[in-house]
Amino acid sequence: MIQTHPDGATLAVRAQPGAKKDAVLGRHGDSLKVAVTAPPEDGRANAALVEHLKTVLGVKRSQVVLLSGEKNRNKVFLIRGLTPEQVAARVG
């Protein structure tokens, strides 16, 4: 779920767009399941995921980067400046 990266840590996410509220729903296999209210069109769900992860992790928007999964529910985000241990502690 969380791996070491030269710039910080990577976080595997299973997206649930179109949800009733933005929330971290817990583990989903080897990923963190995150629900966002934005629909999966025109990158809106990806932008909402970045914003929600930024808030949950307590980092700047520029520190959360989508590495893969732009058009897929399974995504990998780079969290710059945090260790895997710090990311794990902040997402619960």
Side-chain angles (χ1 to χ4, degrees):
M1 183 166 90
I2 303 169
Q3 302 290 324
T4 302
H5 186 278
D7 293 334
T10 59
L11 175 63
V13 170
R14 172 75 175 178
Q16 182 181 330
K20 292 185 181 189
K21 65 178 184 173
D22 293 350
V24 174
L25 302 176
R27 291 186 75 120
H28 179 73
D30 288 338
S31 300
L32 181 70
K33 190 167 187 179
V34 181
V36 291
T37 57
E41 30 188 72
D42 301 324
R44 297 196 326 215
N46 288 337
L49 281 166
V50 168
E51 288 298 315
H52 190 64
L53 289 173
K54 160 187 91 88
T55 302
V56 168
L57 296 169
V59 297
K60 296 177 185 173
R61 192 201 178 294
S62 62
Q63 289 178 264
V64 181
V65 179
L66 178 61
L67 291 181
S68 67
E70 186 176 332
K71 296 186 183 287
N72 191 319
R73 284 182 181 237
N74 296 314
K75 302 175 184 297
V76 176
F77 287 91
L78 167 62
I79 313 301
R80 288 190 174 125
L82 294 182
T83 65
E85 294 79 18
Q86 290 171 317
V87 173
R90 294 179 188 195
V91 296

